[in-house]
Amino acid sequence: MTSPQTFAAHNLDAIVAIVAVPVFLLAGWPLEGWFWATALWAVNRYVQSVIERRAAQMGELRCVGILGASMLLRPWIGMLVLFLITKHDTALAVSAVLLFLLLVTIDIATRVLTHKNISGTIGGAA
């Protein structure tokens, strides 16, 4: 059973995505930017979970390689798609890119900080 704190930590990026809606409204940014950033972030998380499940069935070296390449490529591919979708409107592009970068960064950081093999060594001897 997952505690509410652990669940919130693992989904901090989703919480930020929801909180971003009123921020977009108050700032006068296009909601289409929020939609595209959030949609591509959600696709990014889904692809990540699929890759993680498949990588868990591989040998350790191949698993680490697949996960590392995936972690580097998915944000770049997401940014390229976001650029192609929003290139016609500067405000749309800037708002969407900033939100997408924030969500992906939070996702990566929370995955690193809440990983079961790392959380026990933070602040102590490895």
mmCIF file with all atom_site columns, all heavy atoms in Angstrom, residues 9 20-22 29 34 69 82 85 102 108 118 122 124:
data_model
loop_
_atom_site.group_PDB
_atom_site.id
_atom_site.type_symbol
_atom_site.label_atom_id
_atom_site.label_alt_id
_atom_site.label_comp_id
_atom_site.label_asym_id
_atom_site.label_entity_id
_atom_site.label_seq_id
_atom_site.pdbx_PDB_ins_code
_atom_site.Cartn_x
_atom_site.Cartn_y
_atom_site.Cartn_z
_atom_site.occupancy
_atom_site.B_iso_or_equiv
_atom_site.pdbx_formal_charge
_atom_site.auth_seq_id
_atom_site.auth_comp_id
_atom_site.auth_asym_id
_atom_site.auth_atom_id
_atom_site.pdbx_PDB_model_num
ATOM 1   N N   . ALA A 1 9   ? 4.381  12.408 -4.010  1.00 0.00 ? 9   ALA A N   1
ATOM 2   C CA  . ALA A 1 9   ? 5.754  12.620 -4.487  1.00 0.00 ? 9   ALA A CA  1
ATOM 3   C C   . ALA A 1 9   ? 5.937  12.022 -5.880  1.00 0.00 ? 9   ALA A C   1
ATOM 4   O O   . ALA A 1 9   ? 6.581  12.627 -6.740  1.00 0.00 ? 9   ALA A O   1
ATOM 5   C CB  . ALA A 1 9   ? 6.756  12.004 -3.514  1.00 0.00 ? 9   ALA A CB  1
ATOM 6   N N   . ALA A 1 20  ? -1.240 24.410 -12.970 1.00 0.00 ? 20  ALA A N   1
ATOM 7   C CA  . ALA A 1 20  ? -0.849 25.320 -14.050 1.00 0.00 ? 20  ALA A CA  1
ATOM 8   C C   . ALA A 1 20  ? -2.051 25.914 -14.779 1.00 0.00 ? 20  ALA A C   1
ATOM 9   O O   . ALA A 1 20  ? -1.926 26.978 -15.397 1.00 0.00 ? 20  ALA A O   1
ATOM 10  C CB  . ALA A 1 20  ? 0.053  24.592 -15.048 1.00 0.00 ? 20  ALA A CB  1
ATOM 11  N N   . VAL A 1 21  ? -3.209 25.276 -14.718 1.00 0.00 ? 21  VAL A N   1
ATOM 12  C CA  . VAL A 1 21  ? -4.392 25.806 -15.417 1.00 0.00 ? 21  VAL A CA  1
ATOM 13  C C   . VAL A 1 21  ? -4.754 27.203 -14.912 1.00 0.00 ? 21  VAL A C   1
ATOM 14  O O   . VAL A 1 21  ? -4.851 28.137 -15.721 1.00 0.00 ? 21  VAL A O   1
ATOM 15  C CB  . VAL A 1 21  ? -5.596 24.835 -15.307 1.00 0.00 ? 21  VAL A CB  1
ATOM 16  C CG1 . VAL A 1 21  ? -6.838 25.468 -15.895 1.00 0.00 ? 21  VAL A CG1 1
ATOM 17  C CG2 . VAL A 1 21  ? -5.293 23.530 -15.995 1.00 0.00 ? 21  VAL A CG2 1
ATOM 18  N N   . PRO A 1 22  ? -4.940 27.404 -13.604 1.00 0.00 ? 22  PRO A N   1
ATOM 19  C CA  . PRO A 1 22  ? -5.251 28.772 -13.163 1.00 0.00 ? 22  PRO A CA  1
ATOM 20  C C   . PRO A 1 22  ? -4.109 29.755 -13.424 1.00 0.00 ? 22  PRO A C   1
ATOM 21  O O   . PRO A 1 22  ? -4.350 30.933 -13.668 1.00 0.00 ? 22  PRO A O   1
ATOM 22  C CB  . PRO A 1 22  ? -5.535 28.640 -11.672 1.00 0.00 ? 22  PRO A CB  1
ATOM 23  C CG  . PRO A 1 22  ? -5.267 27.249 -11.289 1.00 0.00 ? 22  PRO A CG  1
ATOM 24  C CD  . PRO A 1 22  ? -5.025 26.443 -12.506 1.00 0.00 ? 22  PRO A CD  1
ATOM 25  N N   . TRP A 1 29  ? -2.123 33.481 -20.729 1.00 0.00 ? 29  TRP A N   1
ATOM 26  C CA  . TRP A 1 29  ? -1.475 32.628 -21.724 1.00 0.00 ? 29  TRP A CA  1
ATOM 27  C C   . TRP A 1 29  ? -2.522 31.748 -22.385 1.00 0.00 ? 29  TRP A C   1
ATOM 28  O O   . TRP A 1 29  ? -3.546 31.409 -21.790 1.00 0.00 ? 29  TRP A O   1
ATOM 29  C CB  . TRP A 1 29  ? -0.408 31.756 -21.080 1.00 0.00 ? 29  TRP A CB  1
ATOM 30  C CG  . TRP A 1 29  ? 0.727  32.518 -20.485 1.00 0.00 ? 29  TRP A CG  1
ATOM 31  C CD1 . TRP A 1 29  ? 1.158  33.761 -20.856 1.00 0.00 ? 29  TRP A CD1 1
ATOM 32  C CD2 . TRP A 1 29  ? 1.562  32.110 -19.415 1.00 0.00 ? 29  TRP A CD2 1
ATOM 33  N NE1 . TRP A 1 29  ? 2.216  34.138 -20.077 1.00 0.00 ? 29  TRP A NE1 1
ATOM 34  C CE2 . TRP A 1 29  ? 2.488  33.144 -19.182 1.00 0.00 ? 29  TRP A CE2 1
ATOM 35  C CE3 . TRP A 1 29  ? 1.617  30.980 -18.625 1.00 0.00 ? 29  TRP A CE3 1
ATOM 36  C CZ2 . TRP A 1 29  ? 3.468  33.057 -18.194 1.00 0.00 ? 29  TRP A CZ2 1
ATOM 37  C CZ3 . TRP A 1 29  ? 2.591  30.895 -17.651 1.00 0.00 ? 29  TRP A CZ3 1
ATOM 38  C CH2 . TRP A 1 29  ? 3.503  31.923 -17.443 1.00 0.00 ? 29  TRP A CH2 1
ATOM 39  N N   . TRP A 1 34  ? -1.173 25.077 -22.618 1.00 0.00 ? 34  TRP A N   1
ATOM 40  C CA  . TRP A 1 34  ? -1.279 24.145 -21.494 1.00 0.00 ? 34  TRP A CA  1
ATOM 41  C C   . TRP A 1 34  ? -1.678 22.757 -21.999 1.00 0.00 ? 34  TRP A C   1
ATOM 42  O O   . TRP A 1 34  ? -1.120 21.755 -21.581 1.00 0.00 ? 34  TRP A O   1
ATOM 43  C CB  . TRP A 1 34  ? -2.320 24.653 -20.480 1.00 0.00 ? 34  TRP A CB  1
ATOM 44  C CG  . TRP A 1 34  ? -2.538 23.666 -19.371 1.00 0.00 ? 34  TRP A CG  1
ATOM 45  C CD1 . TRP A 1 34  ? -1.828 23.563 -18.222 1.00 0.00 ? 34  TRP A CD1 1
ATOM 46  C CD2 . TRP A 1 34  ? -3.513 22.622 -19.348 1.00 0.00 ? 34  TRP A CD2 1
ATOM 47  N NE1 . TRP A 1 34  ? -2.301 22.521 -17.472 1.00 0.00 ? 34  TRP A NE1 1
ATOM 48  C CE2 . TRP A 1 34  ? -3.343 21.922 -18.142 1.00 0.00 ? 34  TRP A CE2 1
ATOM 49  C CE3 . TRP A 1 34  ? -4.514 22.202 -20.216 1.00 0.00 ? 34  TRP A CE3 1
ATOM 50  C CZ2 . TRP A 1 34  ? -4.125 20.834 -17.786 1.00 0.00 ? 34  TRP A CZ2 1
ATOM 51  C CZ3 . TRP A 1 34  ? -5.295 21.119 -19.859 1.00 0.00 ? 34  TRP A CZ3 1
ATOM 52  C CH2 . TRP A 1 34  ? -5.102 20.453 -18.662 1.00 0.00 ? 34  TRP A CH2 1
ATOM 53  N N   . ALA A 1 69  ? 18.967 5.848  -22.556 1.00 0.00 ? 69  ALA A N   1
ATOM 54  C CA  . ALA A 1 69  ? 18.676 6.409  -23.881 1.00 0.00 ? 69  ALA A CA  1
ATOM 55  C C   . ALA A 1 69  ? 17.254 6.962  -23.923 1.00 0.00 ? 69  ALA A C   1
ATOM 56  O O   . ALA A 1 69  ? 17.012 8.040  -24.485 1.00 0.00 ? 69  ALA A O   1
ATOM 57  C CB  . ALA A 1 69  ? 18.863 5.337  -24.948 1.00 0.00 ? 69  ALA A CB  1
ATOM 58  N N   . LEU A 1 82  ? 6.461  19.497 -29.901 1.00 0.00 ? 82  LEU A N   1
ATOM 59  C CA  . LEU A 1 82  ? 5.863  20.723 -29.373 1.00 0.00 ? 82  LEU A CA  1
ATOM 60  C C   . LEU A 1 82  ? 6.226  21.932 -30.234 1.00 0.00 ? 82  LEU A C   1
ATOM 61  O O   . LEU A 1 82  ? 5.390  22.777 -30.524 1.00 0.00 ? 82  LEU A O   1
ATOM 62  C CB  . LEU A 1 82  ? 6.321  20.929 -27.930 1.00 0.00 ? 82  LEU A CB  1
ATOM 63  C CG  . LEU A 1 82  ? 5.560  21.913 -27.078 1.00 0.00 ? 82  LEU A CG  1
ATOM 64  C CD1 . LEU A 1 82  ? 4.077  21.551 -27.019 1.00 0.00 ? 82  LEU A CD1 1
ATOM 65  C CD2 . LEU A 1 82  ? 6.139  21.957 -25.686 1.00 0.00 ? 82  LEU A CD2 1
ATOM 66  N N   . ILE A 1 85  ? 4.181  21.837 -33.431 1.00 0.00 ? 85  ILE A N   1
ATOM 67  C CA  . ILE A 1 85  ? 2.767  22.141 -33.205 1.00 0.00 ? 85  ILE A CA  1
ATOM 68  C C   . ILE A 1 85  ? 2.549  23.635 -32.947 1.00 0.00 ? 85  ILE A C   1
ATOM 69  O O   . ILE A 1 85  ? 1.569  24.211 -33.414 1.00 0.00 ? 85  ILE A O   1
ATOM 70  C CB  . ILE A 1 85  ? 2.216  21.313 -32.026 1.00 0.00 ? 85  ILE A CB  1
ATOM 71  C CG1 . ILE A 1 85  ? 2.146  19.837 -32.399 1.00 0.00 ? 85  ILE A CG1 1
ATOM 72  C CG2 . ILE A 1 85  ? 0.836  21.811 -31.595 1.00 0.00 ? 85  ILE A CG2 1
ATOM 73  C CD1 . ILE A 1 85  ? 1.829  18.921 -31.234 1.00 0.00 ? 85  ILE A CD1 1
ATOM 74  N N   . LEU A 1 102 ? 9.148  22.175 -17.400 1.00 0.00 ? 102 LEU A N   1
ATOM 75  C CA  . LEU A 1 102 ? 8.931  22.088 -15.956 1.00 0.00 ? 102 LEU A CA  1
ATOM 76  C C   . LEU A 1 102 ? 8.398  20.708 -15.569 1.00 0.00 ? 102 LEU A C   1
ATOM 77  O O   . LEU A 1 102 ? 8.902  20.072 -14.636 1.00 0.00 ? 102 LEU A O   1
ATOM 78  C CB  . LEU A 1 102 ? 7.966  23.181 -15.498 1.00 0.00 ? 102 LEU A CB  1
ATOM 79  C CG  . LEU A 1 102 ? 7.618  23.191 -14.014 1.00 0.00 ? 102 LEU A CG  1
ATOM 80  C CD1 . LEU A 1 102 ? 8.859  23.505 -13.181 1.00 0.00 ? 102 LEU A CD1 1
ATOM 81  C CD2 . LEU A 1 102 ? 6.516  24.187 -13.745 1.00 0.00 ? 102 LEU A CD2 1
ATOM 82  N N   . ILE A 1 108 ? 11.520 13.726 -13.820 1.00 0.00 ? 108 ILE A N   1
ATOM 83  C CA  . ILE A 1 108 ? 12.839 13.090 -13.708 1.00 0.00 ? 108 ILE A CA  1
ATOM 84  C C   . ILE A 1 108 ? 13.371 13.232 -12.284 1.00 0.00 ? 108 ILE A C   1
ATOM 85  O O   . ILE A 1 108 ? 13.862 12.264 -11.697 1.00 0.00 ? 108 ILE A O   1
ATOM 86  C CB  . ILE A 1 108 ? 13.816 13.678 -14.739 1.00 0.00 ? 108 ILE A CB  1
ATOM 87  C CG1 . ILE A 1 108 ? 13.391 13.264 -16.151 1.00 0.00 ? 108 ILE A CG1 1
ATOM 88  C CG2 . ILE A 1 108 ? 15.243 13.226 -14.456 1.00 0.00 ? 108 ILE A CG2 1
ATOM 89  C CD1 . ILE A 1 108 ? 14.132 13.978 -17.263 1.00 0.00 ? 108 ILE A CD1 1
ATOM 90  N N   . ILE A 1 118 ? 17.838 4.545  -4.153  1.00 0.00 ? 118 ILE A N   1
ATOM 91  C CA  . ILE A 1 118 ? 18.579 5.792  -3.908  1.00 0.00 ? 118 ILE A CA  1
ATOM 92  C C   . ILE A 1 118 ? 18.123 6.467  -2.629  1.00 0.00 ? 118 ILE A C   1
ATOM 93  O O   . ILE A 1 118 ? 18.923 7.009  -1.893  1.00 0.00 ? 118 ILE A O   1
ATOM 94  C CB  . ILE A 1 118 ? 18.409 6.744  -5.116  1.00 0.00 ? 118 ILE A CB  1
ATOM 95  C CG1 . ILE A 1 118 ? 19.112 6.146  -6.319  1.00 0.00 ? 118 ILE A CG1 1
ATOM 96  C CG2 . ILE A 1 118 ? 18.931 8.130  -4.807  1.00 0.00 ? 118 ILE A CG2 1
ATOM 97  C CD1 . ILE A 1 118 ? 19.055 6.954  -7.556  1.00 0.00 ? 118 ILE A CD1 1
ATOM 98  N N   . ILE A 1 122 ? 20.552 8.775  0.426   1.00 0.00 ? 122 ILE A N   1
ATOM 99  C CA  . ILE A 1 122 ? 20.646 10.233 0.402   1.00 0.00 ? 122 ILE A CA  1
ATOM 100 C C   . ILE A 1 122 ? 20.920 10.729 1.814   1.00 0.00 ? 122 ILE A C   1
ATOM 101 O O   . ILE A 1 122 ? 20.224 10.379 2.763   1.00 0.00 ? 122 ILE A O   1
ATOM 102 C CB  . ILE A 1 122 ? 19.365 10.866 -0.154  1.00 0.00 ? 122 ILE A CB  1
ATOM 103 C CG1 . ILE A 1 122 ? 19.242 10.529 -1.642  1.00 0.00 ? 122 ILE A CG1 1
ATOM 104 C CG2 . ILE A 1 122 ? 19.354 12.380 0.049   1.00 0.00 ? 122 ILE A CG2 1
ATOM 105 C CD1 . ILE A 1 122 ? 17.992 11.053 -2.288  1.00 0.00 ? 122 ILE A CD1 1
ATOM 106 N N   . GLY A 1 124 ? 23.413 9.974  3.615   1.00 0.00 ? 124 GLY A N   1
ATOM 107 C CA  . GLY A 1 124 ? 24.207 9.023  4.385   1.00 0.00 ? 124 GLY A CA  1
ATOM 108 C C   . GLY A 1 124 ? 25.301 8.437  3.520   1.00 0.00 ? 124 GLY A C   1
ATOM 109 O O   . GLY A 1 124 ? 25.516 8.822  2.391   1.00 0.00 ? 124 GLY A O   1
#
